[in-house]
Amino acid sequence: DAIAYRMTFNVTAGTSSLPLASIPTGITAGDEILIIAMQGAGAGDYETAHVTGVAGSRLDLNKALTKSFSGSTDKIMVQRVPHYTTVTVGGTLTAGGYSCSSFLGGVLFFRASGAVNVASGGAIDMGGKGFSGGGSVDQNGGIQGASPVGCGTNVRTANGGGGGGGGSNAWNVDPGNGAGGGGGGYGTAGAAGANSSGGNLGGVAGTVYGGADLTTKLFPGSGGGGGGNEMNRPSGNGGAG
């Protein structure tokens, strides 16, 4: 049900069709879709529409869009919205996390015409399915966590909500110890990464973003920064938002 595709073209408000980056499989006339900007200047903007027809990689819609989406600069995801009647969640309902290689994932979205019942022992849980945590570069410190700003690079500073990478300089400063990556932020700020005993500095904490009422923009949580590695030894990856 989490059928999703990228849109790498620009569409302006008033447009009633979407050109996807590839021919969609599993999206047909009558389906509802979510259009959401995951990363970039317009990150968090989203809109839903129903598909009236599919022509190659183009989706024709039942309405003119009220928002513009810049697929040439932002990471835009178009995801099918499944429709159910009565839903009972007996186990854990989740979805795949956001990927900095496919630029897809991190969103769970469905509709039900009847009741949605989370049974005893069940859960709807997207913990750890948001923006991905950073890794590390051998003997060169950690990589920032991903965030609405974009995917991280090999620096200690925060990546918007993404935590900065932990410091590491195996040949000159404290070669036996890497510093911790910064924690990712969203509704609250992350925590700064711990410094190592000999001078390597921890990653900077991710910042606060988003709106508490969740009415105008929607975001996943940001990833934590990767730890700074020890000499010739890997470090831990940052956790996903």
Side-chain angles (χ1 to χ4, degrees):
D1 286 326
I3 297 168
Y5 292 89
R6 286 192 63 195
M7 186 184 73
T8 57
F9 303 92
N10 298 338
V11 296
T12 57
T15 299
S16 58
S17 63
L18 290 177
L20 301 182
S22 58
I23 296 175
T25 301
I27 298 179
T28 61
D31 286 342
E32 184 181 17
I33 57 169
L34 166 72
I35 309 112
I36 182 167
M38 299 297 290
Q39 292 179 308
D45 285 339
Y46 70 98
E47 189 167 351
T48 61
H50 283 81
V51 176
T52 58
V54 181
S57 60
R58 188 189 76 228
L59 303 181
D60 295 321
L61 308 178
N62 69 326
K63 67 170 192 174
L65 296 176
T66 62
K67 296 183 179 180
S68 297
F69 294 91
S70 299
S72 63
T73 56
D74 296 351
K75 301 299 186 288
I76 310 298
M77 181 172 71
V78 176
Q79 181 166 308
R80 179 180 177 271
V81 178
H83 283 226
Y84 305 122
T85 52
T86 300
V87 175
T88 299
V89 182
T92 299
L93 177 62
T94 189
Y98 185 76
S99 166
C100 272
S101 57
S102 68
F103 304 110
L104 300 172
V107 174
L108 190 157
F109 193 139
F110 70 91
R111 297 191 193 276
S113 59
V116 176
N117 175 48
V118 180
S120 176
I124 299 175
D125 185 5
M126 287 292 285
K129 303 296 185 179
F131 289 115
S132 54
S136 64
V137 178
D138 186 29
Q139 300 180 10
N140 201 33
I143 297 171
Q144 298 164 313
S147 76
V149 173
C151 296
T153 59
N154 183 211
V155 294
R156 283 187 53 248
T157 55
N159 180 30
S168 176
N169 188 340
W171 302 113
N172 298 316
V173 180
D174 194 19
N177 294 283
Y186 181 27
T188 58
N195 299 332
S196 68
S197 60
N200 284 320
L201 300 177
V204 176
T207 58
V208 177
Y209 61 97
D213 60 4
L214 304 178
T215 57
T216 58
K217 288 178 177 281
L218 292 176
F219 302 95
S222 290
N229 42 25
E230 298 182 18
M231 183 166 52
N232 299 322
R233 295 183 183 181
S235 66
N237 295 330

